[in-house]
Structure formats: C-alpha cells, structure tokens
Amino acid sequence: MRTRFRLARRLVPAALLLAGAATAAPVRYTFDPDHTYPSFEADHMGISTWRGKFNHSQGWVEMDKAAGQGRLQVSIALDSIDFGQDALNAWARGKDFFDTAHHPSALYKGRLADFVDGVPTRVVGSLTLHGVTRPLELRIDHFRCIPHPIFKREYCGADARGRFDRSAFGLEAGKDYGFDMQVALRIQVEALRDK
C-alpha cells in the first residue's frame, strides 16, 4: 500500500506537467508578403553605403507568448532584389554574385528568445545563402500585436536586425577593391494569425 502511494505521488506531478504541455500550443502566424520586406545595407568601396531590398519573401512564425518560446522561418526570393537600379539588379542576380539560376532563394530559420512580458527580443538562428549555412542572430527592436481591422484576427509586426560577413557565404565581389564585407540586414515583417 505504501509503495503504491509513493508511486502515485511521483506520477501525479508528472501527469499534471504533461497535461499542461498538451494544452499549451503555439500559435501560428503567416507572413503578409505585401508588408514584409527584408532589406540590407552594404559598403561601396568605403565611400558610400548601398541600400536595397527584396520584393518577394514568404514565411511563418509559431509563438507561445506565455511559455516564452517560438520559432520562425523566412524564405527570400533573391531574384527580387531591388537596388533601385536595373543594371545593378541584373548583375546581382547573375553568376558573379547571387547566381539565382543555381541559388534562387535565401532561407533564415530561427528560435525566438529572451521574451520580456510576452514579447521576444532576439532570434537565434541561421542563414542559408549561396548554398552555405552560417549562424546569424537577430535583435528585435520592435514587436507589437493588434486585432486586424478587416480580418478580425491577431496581426503582429516586428523590426529585426543583424549583421553578417558576406564573404563567409562565398559572396566576395569587390573584396579586392577594398569593399567591407559586412552587411547589415533588416527584416520588417507583418504576420496574420492563421485561422
């Protein structure tokens, strides 16, 4: 009898934990492609900063605010690069840089981290670019959710930033001319809660 009681005392807390885990499910949001534009800043021979963006991306985020955890994935169509200059866009898509015929997209996957009051402040993840995967951490500068006025579902937005060395991905164009290989990445994202 005493053995059964001890066993029950051990199993009840474990069962409660499992029941709690089963009921707490992350919420999934799909990125709004019309309001999500990854952008970047890159050096031009040390005398100016080039800025551009990617016009097409897609992705999702799963988040459990109460548990302070989540994950995300964003795929960026590299042939949608937009410097605001057609000739430069065509060059960046070509074999001397992104080579979009063989590497059409970049992929960022990450885990939401360091939640404060239900809001993530950091993403720990990795970027796959030009066939190479490297760690890349993003800082979330702004994050907010509101009820969408039309769809009547939760709508969240964020601004995240990070830096990486493009030569680590085999993108060394301009290095011999003194270009700084560091690139500042910005991801402006809005996402609608799935039904």
Side-chain angles (χ1 to χ4, degrees), residues 29-187:
Y29 305 79
T30 298
F31 290 176
D32 178 347
D34 293 325
H35 293 90
T36 301
Y37 292 101
S39 61
F40 57 88
E41 297 179 354
D43 173 65
H44 183 241
M45 296 196 299
I47 60 171
S48 68
T49 301
W50 284 356
R51 293 176 176 88
K53 65 186 176 76
F54 295 94
N55 292 323
H56 301 294
S57 61
Q58 60 184 358
W60 51 265
V61 60
E62 286 182 350
M63 183 169 48
D64 185 336
K65 294 178 189 176
Q69 61 188 22
R71 61 194 183 106
L72 63 84
Q73 179 173 303
V74 57
S75 176
I76 302 166
L78 297 177
D79 64 356
S80 71
I81 192 166
D82 186 356
F83 281 102
Q85 185 186 65
D86 291 342
L88 189 53
N89 295 343
W91 174 83
R93 290 190 294 262
K95 62 181 179 59
D96 293 327
F97 202 64
F98 285 139
D99 189 12
T100 59
H102 296 98
H103 306 287
S105 62
L107 182 67
Y108 183 78
K109 293 181 177 181
R111 176 181 56 81
L112 299 174
D114 298 340
F115 280 65
V116 176
D117 298 325
V119 172
T121 61
R122 198 164 56 97
V123 186
V124 179
S126 62
L127 175 66
T128 300
L129 177 63
H130 207 242
V132 178
T133 301
R134 296 276 186 266
L136 176 60
E137 186 171 304
L138 301 177
R139 185 181 84 200
I140 300 173
D141 290 332
H142 176 79
F143 182 96
R144 184 174 179 224
C145 296
I146 62 169
H148 195 287
I150 297 169
F151 298 113
K152 309 302 182 189
R153 284 182 273 147
E154 191 177 31
Y155 195 55
C156 298
D159 283 314
R161 66 173 65 202
R163 295 184 70 83
F164 65 90
D165 181 338
R166 64 181 172 90
S167 67
F169 296 88
L171 302 174
E172 297 186 345
K175 190 173 185 178
D176 293 342
Y177 296 102
F179 283 54
D180 186 342
M181 295 289 104
Q182 289 295 309
V183 174
L185 175 66
R186 308 281 186 267
I187 301 181

